[in-house]
C-alpha cells in the first residue's frame, strides 16, 4: 500500500498500478490507470486487493509537488510467526534515483533483504561488480545480504539469492531505487538460541536479531551529503539499543565527527 499527499490545491495525479488495487470505497478492484484530484494537505491511500500482491513499480505522476509514503500495514517475518508491525518510508522522486549504492547490513541482525526497482528497460544489476539480473521498467529484484557464517532459517528467504557479505556495492546501468528491509527479531532467532559475546550488548544473551520489521530507502551515492541530523527514540521502561551505519570513503574516515 501507499499514500499520496498533496502540497497544493487542485493537484491532478495519474496512477498506473503494477497490480490490482482496491479503489475508491474499497469495494472494487482494477489494474487500469486512474486519475485523482487532491487539495493541499489531503491524502489518498491505495491498497493492493490482496496482501500477497506487490505494488512496487506502480507509476505515479502529478502536475504539482506531492509526497508519497509506501509500506505495509502489518508485516511479519514469516506466516503466523514473528513480530507483526507496520513498515513505512517516504520515497524519493525518480529524478533523485541513482546508479550506485552502498548497502550495509544492520549490526543488530544476522541478515537483511535488499530490493531494487528499475526505471527503464534493460537495466542490468551488478552486485560487487558481478552481474546478477536484468530488469525491465518497473520490475524489481530482491536478494539477501548476511554475515558469511550465518544460516538462513526462514523459508520465506532461503530461496532468494544470497550475498554473504555485510556490505555490498550495487551499480546499475540505468537509475534505480534501492530499499533495505530489516527482518523481525524472531526470524533471526527462531530457535531462541543464546549468542556468545553478542555484538550489540557485548555479553552472552538471547537478543540475536534485535528489532521489528522495518524498511529504509537507501540514497544513491550520487545523493551523498556532508552533514545530517537524526533522532532516536527512548521508550520508558524498555531497554533499547541505538545503532547507526555511516558510509564514507576510506580516506574520509578520519574526518567523520559525531
Amino acid at each position: 500500500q501507499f499514500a499520496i499527499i498533496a502540497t497544493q490545491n487542485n493537484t491532478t495525479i495519474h496512477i498506473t498500478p503494477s497490480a490490482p488495487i482496491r479503489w475508491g470505497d474499497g469495494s472494487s478492484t482494477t489494474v487500469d490507470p486512474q486519475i485523482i484530484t487532491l487539495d493541499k494537505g489531503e491524502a489518498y491511500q491505495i491498497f493492493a486487493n490482496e496482501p500477497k500482491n506487490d505494488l512496487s513499480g506502480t507509476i505515479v505522476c502529478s502536475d504539482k509537488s506531492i509526497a508519497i509514503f509506501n509500506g505495509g500495514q502489518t508485516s511479519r517475518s514469516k506466516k503466523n510467526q514473528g513480530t507483526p508491525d507496520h513498515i513505512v518510508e517516504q520515497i524519493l522522486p525518480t529524478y533523485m534515483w541513482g546508479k550506485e549504492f552502498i548497502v550495509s547490513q544492520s549490526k543488530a541482525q544476522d541478515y537483511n533483504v535488499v530490493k531494487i526497482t528499475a526505471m527503464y528497460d534493460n537495466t542490468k544489476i551488478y552486485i560487487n561488480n558481478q552481474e546478477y539480473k536484468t530488469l525491465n521498467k518497473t520490475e524489481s529484484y530482491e536478494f539477501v545480504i548476511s554475515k558469511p557464517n550465518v544460516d538462513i532459517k526462514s523459508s520465506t528467504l532461503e530461496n532468494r539469492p544470497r550475498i554473504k557479505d555485510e556490505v555490498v556495492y550495487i551499480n546499475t546501468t540505468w537509475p534505480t531505487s534501492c530499499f533495505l528491509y530489516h527482518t523481525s527479531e524472531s526470524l533471526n532467532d527462531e530457535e531462541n538460541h543464546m549468542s556468545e559475546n553478542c555484538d550489540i550488548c557485548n555479553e552472552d544473551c538471547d537478543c540475536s536479531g534485535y528489532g521489528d520489521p522495518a524498511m529504509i530507502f537507501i540514497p544513491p551515492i550520487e545523493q551523498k551529503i556532508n552533514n545530517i541530523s537524526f533522532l532516536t527514540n527512548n521508550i520508558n521502561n524498555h531497554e533499547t539499543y541505538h545503532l547507526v551505519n555511516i558510509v564514507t570513503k576510506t580516506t574520509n574516515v578520519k574526518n567523520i565527527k559525531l
Side-chain angles (χ1 to χ4, degrees):
Q1 62 183 273
F2 62 93
I4 304 170
I5 303 174
T7 64
Q8 300 177 54
N9 290 334
N10 197 32
T11 298
T12 301
I13 303 166
H14 296 253
I15 304 167
T16 305
S18 61
I21 58 174
R22 285 187 281 166
W23 194 255
D25 60 3
S27 60
S28 61
T29 62
T30 183
V31 292
D32 297 327
Q34 303 291 325
I35 300 176
I36 61 174
T37 300
L38 299 178
D39 286 331
K40 181 178 180 179
E42 289 185 335
Y44 199 92
Q45 192 167 14
I46 295 174
F47 297 83
N49 71 324
E50 295 182 10
K52 66 180 181 179
N53 285 340
D54 187 356
L55 292 178
S56 298
T58 294
I59 300 173
V60 181
C61 301
S62 66
D63 62 347
K64 299 182 177 73
S65 297
I66 57 174
I68 298 180
F69 296 83
N70 69 330
Q73 184 174 4
T74 304
S75 300
R76 291 178 182 268
S77 60
K78 62 185 296 186
K79 186 176 180 181
N80 299 323
Q81 182 174 338
T83 309
D85 208 346
H86 74 282
I87 57 175
V88 62
E89 178 70 292
Q90 184 173 2
I91 61 175
L92 294 179
T94 53
Y95 72 84
M96 298 184 72
W97 290 15
K99 298 180 181 179
E100 292 185 281
F101 305 86
I102 299 291
V103 182
S104 57
Q105 182 190 344
S106 170
K107 183 178 180 180
Q109 298 183 326
D110 288 337
Y111 40 85
N112 299 138
V113 178
V114 180
K115 185 173 188 175
I116 303 170
T117 301
M119 188 190 309
Y120 298 108
D121 289 340
N122 197 33
T123 297
K124 297 184 183 299
I125 308 299
Y126 295 87
I127 305 170
N128 293 338
N129 297 315
Q130 179 179 344
E131 184 175 344
Y132 272 78
K133 187 73 173 179
T134 298
L135 299 177
N136 286 326
K137 180 179 179 180
T138 73
E139 289 183 340
S140 296
Y141 177 64
E142 296 183 14
F143 62 93
V144 176
I145 59 174
S146 71
K147 299 174 182 178
N149 59 344
V150 168
D151 292 328
I152 294 182
K153 304 170 186 177
S154 167
S155 59
T156 60
L157 299 181
E158 62 186 4
N159 293 325
R160 299 186 189 184
R162 178 183 177 188
I163 310 298
K164 295 183 179 181
D165 202 333
E166 297 177 59
V167 180
V168 296
Y169 167 66
I170 301 168
N171 65 300
T172 61
T173 52
W174 293 100
T176 56
S177 71
C178 181
F179 278 92
L180 178 69
Y181 292 85
H182 287 190
T183 53
S184 66
E185 177 177 352
S186 61
L187 175 63
N188 295 277
D189 192 17
E190 289 182 356
E191 298 177 358
N192 196 30
H193 64 276
M194 295 292 291
S195 297
E196 297 182 0
N197 193 24
C198 172
D199 287 338
I200 305 168
C201 56
N202 296 315
E203 60 185 31
D204 293 350
C205 68
D206 61 356
C207 73
S208 175
Y210 248 92
D212 289 347
M215 64 184 296
I216 303 169
F217 191 99
I218 303 297
I221 292 177
E222 296 93 316
Q223 301 295 339
K224 64 180 181 294
I225 55 179
N226 295 329
N227 296 282
I228 188 169
S229 298
F230 61 89
L231 60 85
T232 59
N233 235 349
N234 284 317
I235 304 174
N236 293 334
N237 302 318
H238 186 79
E239 188 175 16
T240 57
Y241 299 93
H242 301 296
L243 307 172
V244 58
N245 290 354
I246 299 175
V247 177
T248 189
K249 291 183 177 180
T250 303
T251 55
N252 192 48
V253 171
K254 63 180 182 298
N255 298 320
I256 298 294
K257 295 182 179 179
L258 289 177

